[in-house]
Structure formats: C-alpha cells, structure tokens
C-alpha cells in the first residue's frame, strides 16, 4: 500500500465526533449549504463501519479514488449514530451504505422511531426515498451497483436436493414443516417468519433462537435439528456447513444494494462519482461473499484482498 493509504485506522479523536459531529454539519434550514455546487476536495476521508464487508468496501473506494488522483485515509467508526453525523459535517467524506437500511435509518432520524419504513424490495422506490431523505442533510447517494447484502435463507444441500428445492417458493409448495434457526426477533419481523408464511406459505413450526448466520445456527441445520437458517446473501461460510441459499424469488427482502454516500460539499463531484462508479460494473454479491471469506476464514488483510480484486478486474494497476 502507498503511504497515502495506510489501511483502516480507528479515529484518533473519536470524542471529537461525539461532541461536534452533530453541530458542525449543514443545518437542514440552511438551504445555501444544501444547494451549493458539489465540492471536489482532493483529500478524502472514507468511513468504515468496522466489520469485514465494510472494511473491504472502504479499501476498494480508497484505491479507486487514489487511482483517480485523490489522497485518502480510512477511519473505522462502528456506530452509525456517530458516523452519519460525521458524514454530514464533513469529518467523513464517503461511506459504503446499504440502500434500504440507510433509508429507513434516515427516516427514523427525521421523523422518530414510530415512522413508517420507506425501504422496500423495489430498488427504484428505495433509492428515490433514500435520496429525498439524504439531500436535505447535504448528502448525495451515488448510483447502486449489482451487489446486494440482504437477509437470505439457507438449507442443507442434501435436503434441497432430496426435495428439489431451489427457491423459497419451492419450499412453500412442498408443505414441509420447517424449524428456522434465526434471531429471536424473527417471530415479529415482517421479512422473517411472518413474511415467509404470508408471501411463500412456508410452514414455520418454530423459530430456534440461535442468531443470524451464527456458527451454532448453521450447525443446527447441518445436523438436521433445524431445516433452515436465516443468514445474509454475502455469507462466506455456507459451503463449510454444506448449506445452500434458496432464492427469494418473490422479493420478500428489501433492496439493500450497496451504495456510496458522500458529503456533497466535499465529495459530490463527477470525479468521485466516476471513480467509485467503476466498481458498479464488476462487483457482484458473489464477489463480496468470496472476499469476505478470504478475510474471515483465510485471515487475509482486507486491504490485500481489496487490492487483488481490483487488480484482477483491471481497475487499478498491478503493483
């Protein structure tokens, strides 16, 4: 790595974020800040939410921006309640986000915890709502790519083969009783047990509270104690447990496509948009899962995995 891109670092003055992030950004009432021309700072700070996938995305953003002539640094700020105000204030310039989740978070921030969610399974609808919520805060949401990280459901490969299951609709039509390994909140979440029953007609007999995509949850399906596990589309370890995903063919899950979100006044330029947009043409959900696996299972560094991926795709020169 170059000296301009030292990898993910914890924010040295985290207290500064806590104290000032909410007070130094553009006021919602100050339309001059919101409507000002997009800025193009050549020194950009990229935020990571501190988990593997976010670290990988931040590293790829940094490499692509450096290739386009920007200098970058990466700060790991694990709490959205901290890094989103820092993004508004310009202490952070770019973050990787998830379209539906971030839209719902901004809606709650604007209108309170009881506000109706605006994220939906439709990407266009979700992006329209997200951009409408982000713009008054001085934030620009760049175009989404092909990669999506959303809830997903997996079964044992042998179980899928025996019952000829490829989709959640197949499972619903089969009439098989299903014990689901998931978080205990699954019994109430509309995208979990209630949605599986309503949208797919799956016979959920019980929710086994083992967490989302945990080792214990996957083992319970592997050994036949449970028939299905709640995980995510970028889970890197399904093969290790002999599990396969069932396709969400009726689009129960929200459109949590990966999107870069930038501070408009500092990083709203076409240069940033074009640099990060290059990732949209290549990065897939399967690519992310493989990179997560290299970090989580193979113990490779996120910056090395990110650089190798971009080099192999021809987006940065091989070093």
């Amino acid at each position: 790595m170059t000296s301009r891109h030292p990898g993910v670092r914890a924010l040295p003055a985290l207290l500064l974020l806590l104290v000032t992030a909410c007070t130094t950004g553009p006021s919602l009432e100050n339309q001059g800040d919101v409507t000002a021309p997009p800025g193009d700072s050549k020194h950009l700070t990229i935020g990571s939410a501190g988990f593997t996938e976010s670290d990988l995305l931040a590293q790829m953003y940094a490499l692509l921006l450096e290739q386009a002539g920007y200098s970058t640094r990466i700060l790991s700020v694990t709490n959205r309640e901290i890094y989103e105000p820092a993004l508004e204030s310009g202490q952070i310039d770019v973050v990787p986000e998830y379209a539906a989740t971030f839209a719902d978070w901004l809606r709650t921030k604007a209108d309170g915890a009881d506000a109706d969610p605006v994220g939906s399974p439709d990407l266009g609808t979700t992006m329209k709502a997200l951009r409408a919520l982000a713009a008054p805060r001085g934030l620009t949401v760049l175009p989404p790519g092909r990669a999506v990280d959303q809830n997903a459901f997996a079964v044992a490969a042998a179980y899928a083969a025996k019952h000829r299951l490829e989709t959640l609709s197949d499972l619903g039509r089969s009439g098989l009783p299903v014990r689901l390994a998931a978080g205990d909140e699954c019994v109430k979440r509309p995208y979990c047990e209630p949605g599986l029953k309503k949208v797919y007609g799956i016979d959920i007999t019980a929710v086994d509270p083992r967490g989302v995509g945990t080792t214990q949850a996957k083992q319970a399906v592997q050994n036949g104690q449970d028939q299905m596990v709640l995980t995510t589309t970028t889970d890197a370890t399904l093969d290790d447990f002999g599990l396969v995903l069932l396709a969400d063919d009726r689009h129960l899950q929200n459109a949590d496509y990966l999107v870069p979100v930038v501070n408009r006044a500092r990083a709203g330029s076409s240069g940033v948009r074009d640099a990060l947009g290059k990732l949209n043409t290549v990065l897939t959900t399967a690519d992310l899962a493989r990179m997560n696996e290299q970090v989580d299972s193979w113990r490779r560094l996120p910056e090395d995995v990110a650089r190798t991926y971009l080099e192999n795709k021809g987006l940065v020169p091989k070093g």
Side-chain angles (χ1 to χ4, degrees), residues 42-197:
K42 295 302 180 181
H43 305 281
L44 299 176
T45 299
I46 301 164
S48 165
F51 57 93
T52 295
E53 188 167 287
S54 189
D55 289 346
L56 284 164
L57 290 163
Q59 294 287 350
M60 287 189 283
Y61 287 5
L63 287 164
L64 290 168
L65 288 167
E66 289 180 2
Q67 181 67 17
Y70 297 87
S71 66
T72 68
R73 63 172 180 163
I74 297 176
L75 298 177
S76 183
V77 186
T78 58
N79 190 316
R80 188 180 273 118
E81 283 74 13
I82 296 174
Y83 75 68
E84 189 279 332
L87 183 64
E88 288 188 35
S89 73
Q91 292 175 299
I92 293 174
D93 302 306
V94 186
V95 295
E97 263 294 356
Y98 300 88
T101 296
F102 195 46
D104 286 342
W105 191 88
L106 288 178
R107 176 63 183 273
T108 298
K109 182 175 181 178
D111 299 321
D114 295 331
D116 291 334
V118 293
S120 80
D122 182 75
L123 178 59
T125 301
T126 297
M127 288 297 296
K128 182 178 180 180
L130 173 56
R131 284 175 167 147
L133 288 162
R137 298 185 177 278
L139 306 180
T140 297
V141 183
L142 301 186
R146 300 156 61 191
V148 58
D149 186 353
Q150 58 194 169
N151 287 344
F153 297 91
V155 299
Y159 179 86
K162 178 180 178 180
H163 299 289
R164 298 181 179 181
L165 306 176
E166 294 183 355
T167 69
L168 289 170
S169 289
D170 292 338
L171 183 56
R173 284 191 293 267
S174 74
L176 292 165
V178 174
R179 182 176 165 92
L180 175 63
D184 54 9
E185 70 279 2
C186 176
V187 297
K188 297 181 179 179
R189 293 285 173 86
Y191 310 115
C192 202
E193 179 186 358
L196 291 171
K197 289 180 174 180

Side-chain angles (χ1 to χ4, degrees), residues 256-311:
D256 258 332
Y257 283 76
L258 294 168
V259 290
V261 182
V262 303
N263 177 289
R264 174 184 171 88
R266 287 183 49 81
S269 69
S270 60
V272 171
R273 178 186 296 265
D274 293 346
L276 298 182
K278 293 179 180 180
L279 196 59
N280 291 352
T281 64
V282 297
L283 184 65
T284 65
T285 304
D287 290 343
L288 264 182
R290 283 190 290 269
M291 285 191 281
N292 285 337
E293 181 182 25
Q294 291 178 47
V295 176
D296 292 336
S297 298
W298 304 359
R299 303 304 181 197
R300 294 189 62 195
L301 294 174
E303 52 264 41
D304 294 338
V305 174
R307 178 176 285 279
T308 299
Y309 178 79
L310 294 182
E311 288 177 350

Side-chain angles (χ1 to χ4, degrees), residues 244-264:
V244 294
L245 292 178
L246 296 181
D248 180 22
D249 54 309
R250 295 184 185 175
H251 306 293
L252 171 63
Q253 303 305 319
N254 276 346
D256 258 332
Y257 283 76
L258 294 168
V259 290
V261 182
V262 303
N263 177 289
R264 174 184 171 88

